[in-house]
Amino acid sequence: MKFDYLVVGAGLFGATFAYEAKKRNKKCLVIDKRDHIAGNVYTKEESGINVHVYGAHIFHTSDKKIWEYINQFAEFNNYINSPVAVYKDELYNLPFNMNTFSKMWNIKTPAEAKEIIEKQKAEYKIDEPKNLEEQALSLAGKDVYEKLIKGYTEKQWGRKCTELPSFIIKRLPMRFTYDNNYFNDRFQGIPMGGYTKIVEKMLDGIDVRVNEDFFELKKNGKLSDGTEVEYDRILFTGQIDEYFDSKFGPLEYRSVRFETEEIDTDNYQGNAVVNYTEREVPYTRIIEHKHFEFGTQPTTIISREYSSEWKPGVEPYYPVNNDKNNALYEKYAAEAKKEGNVIFGGRLGQYKYYDMDKVLMAALDCVEEEFGK
Ligand code: UDP
């Protein structure tokens, strides 16, 4: 079989590329080493509940074109992410907003909150934050940092807050209004029926093979059933360092492990996302999947999320974008430029902490670069 493109990875990046390529009459073969499509946005229905198998995904964007683009493939509900944080026996609203501050300091007005934060900030004399700790302290002061950020971040990243880049904490809004919306974006929601259906639609009419290992195919020129395949170009959405056999040394990633269970109650925690921000609780958060779609099923499914360092054999989720890894990535990126017929894309291929909307943007940019406007 002969193809214009071999697309490695059936996640959002690969599927978007393949969909657009097909529109331009290009023939793609999409392969994935897992036994299903949709990458980490994969959702699976269990007991009538769409379970976010590789962690919670909430679509949000400020880009109208991207919102319209994804809406071609699914109807979105009006879910607004408003996580709750549990610190010891205290409970706070996220992101950091007037609900959080009034609970923390028993105050009512933005002026009172600002005064406390300014006072706490002043103790540290930070002009230009050099790391996540300094960034968090200068944004929100000591109490918020110690109760809601430090333990959670060190669990999630397995590194001290002083060793992490400040951009990670800037992902979260900080506002002096009583507004628990975790995102500032104009558009937000969960696709009704789950994310897998989106990717199914994108890949409709395209050759897709799951349980296929790219490196085996590259070596043998054959799929696992013996079919010989040829292709002109490759879109690779796996780990860029693995592609180059880690010749400059391995990039670091974080992995996540989920302990998922069905519980015989219709409502376990009253919210889709509850973060456990103290260091001593071993998991970072508990997801109750039904609440993403306002489910009324008689039972519920929850996932406790445990963070760990990535090692071969487990799934990579997050690139660790500190200076050391970014410098190493640049070496691989330079190597990638020399690989004439290979494009690298997605969180793993571009080693970037992309949200879903940014993945779509990057994939559409890639399409434009490949095929013109
Ligand atoms: N974060 C935190 N406390 C929380 C939630 C998030 O300190 O209760 C910080 C933490 O450093 C985390 C970052 O904010 O890595 C980004 O969180 P986000 O929810 O965006 O992470 P994701 O959903 O991508 O895992």
Side-chain angles (χ1 to χ4, degrees), residues 252-271:
E252 295 173 308
Y253 302 84
R254 290 296 284 174
S255 188
V256 189
R257 179 174 64 83
F258 298 95
E259 274 179 12
T260 298
E261 59 178 310
E262 183 164 4
I263 298 179
D264 196 12
T265 171
D266 65 336
N267 190 2
Y268 174 75
Q269 63 182 12
N271 206 27

Side-chain angles (χ1 to χ4, degrees), residues 99-335:
N99 291 301
T100 326
F101 308 140
S102 81
K103 181 89 179 263
M104 182 104 33
W105 302 309
N106 194 24
I107 49 125
K108 293 190 186 68
T109 67
E112 289 170 295
K114 282 183 185 164
E115 197 189 319
I116 294 175
I117 291 172
E118 282 308 318
K119 223 180 185 168
Q120 294 192 355
K121 267 165 66 169
E123 287 175 32
Y124 296 96
K125 303 193 178 59
I126 300 163
D127 291 332
E128 223 173 89
K130 287 187 294 295
N131 54 52
L132 196 154
E133 176 172 284
E134 293 188 1
Q135 182 69 60
L137 283 168
S138 61
L139 272 176
K142 181 171 180 249
D143 291 341
V144 170
Y145 173 64
E146 288 190 344
K147 290 188 170 181
L148 301 179
I149 299 174
K150 190 170 192 287
Y152 186 92
T153 300
E154 295 190 352
K155 273 193 287 194
Q156 175 166 1
W157 294 96
R159 285 158 179 77
K160 295 212 175 85
C161 290
T162 48
E163 290 160 12
L164 287 165
S166 47
F167 84 87
I168 292 178
I169 200 69
K170 284 198 234 153
R171 291 168 58 84
L172 307 195
M174 154 98 178
R175 51 173 97 92
F176 293 91
T177 49
Y178 287 92
D179 176 359
N180 293 329
N181 186 344
Y182 200 60
F183 303 112
N184 280 330
D185 287 321
R186 177 157 166 222
F187 308 103
Q188 180 173 178
I190 300 282
M192 286 149 83
Y195 285 92
T196 306
K197 289 208 173 121
I198 292 182
V199 179
E200 260 166 24
K201 268 201 178 167
M202 286 176 162
L203 295 177
D204 189 31
I206 294 171
D207 285 295
V208 179
R209 297 290 189 102
V210 294
N211 294 312
E212 290 292 346
D213 184 272
F214 166 69
F215 298 102
E216 288 294 316
L217 171 59
K218 199 174 161 196
K219 202 165 62 193
N220 310 325
K222 285 181 193 155
L223 293 169
S224 54
D225 67 359
T227 312
E228 286 185 25
V229 291
E230 281 174 46
Y231 39 84
D232 293 335
R233 284 169 70 67
I234 299 174
L235 168 66
F236 183 81
T237 69
Q239 291 163 257
I240 187 168
D241 52 334
E242 191 184 11
Y243 182 90
F244 292 108
D245 210 13
S246 301
K247 64 179 176 184
F248 303 124
L251 288 164
E252 295 173 308
Y253 302 84
R254 290 296 284 174
S255 188
V256 189
R257 179 174 64 83
F258 298 95
E259 274 179 12
T260 298
E261 59 178 310
E262 183 164 4
I263 298 179
D264 196 12
T265 171
D266 65 336
N267 190 2
Y268 174 75
Q269 63 182 12
N271 206 27
V273 184
V274 178
N275 291 359
Y276 287 81
T277 58
E278 60 184 282
R279 192 71 195 80
E280 289 67 31
V281 177
Y283 41 86
T284 50
R285 52 190 168 193
I286 300 183
I287 304 302
E288 187 169 9
H289 301 270
K290 71 191 306 178
H291 296 310
F292 287 124
E293 297 184 65
F294 317 109
T296 55
Q297 299 84 352
T299 64
T300 195
I301 296 179
I302 64 160
S303 298
R304 289 190 179 78
E305 191 169 325
Y306 297 83
S307 195
S308 66
E309 197 65 12
W310 175 82
K311 55 182 191 310
V314 297
E315 301 287 351
Y317 284 76
Y318 298 92
V320 182
N321 287 116
N322 56 21
D323 292 345
K324 182 183 117 193
N325 285 315
N326 288 344
L328 184 54
Y329 166 70
E330 287 308 326
K331 282 191 176 182
Y332 286 113
E335 214 54 18

Side-chain angles (χ1 to χ4, degrees), residues 20-61:
E20 292 297 328
K22 179 172 181 263
K23 277 209 305 207
R24 291 160 177 81
N25 295 317
K26 301 291 179 194
K27 208 169 163 224
C28 293
L29 170 64
V30 179
I31 62 168
D32 202 293
K33 67 177 173 190
R34 290 180 178 160
D35 65 0
H36 59 76
I37 59 164
N40 278 6
V41 307
Y42 178 66
T43 50
K44 188 175 181 208
E45 199 194 300
E46 287 186 46
S47 299
I49 299 164
N50 289 311
V51 176
H52 294 216
V53 176
Y54 300 92
H57 283 79
I58 300 122
F59 196 91
H60 57 97
T61 188

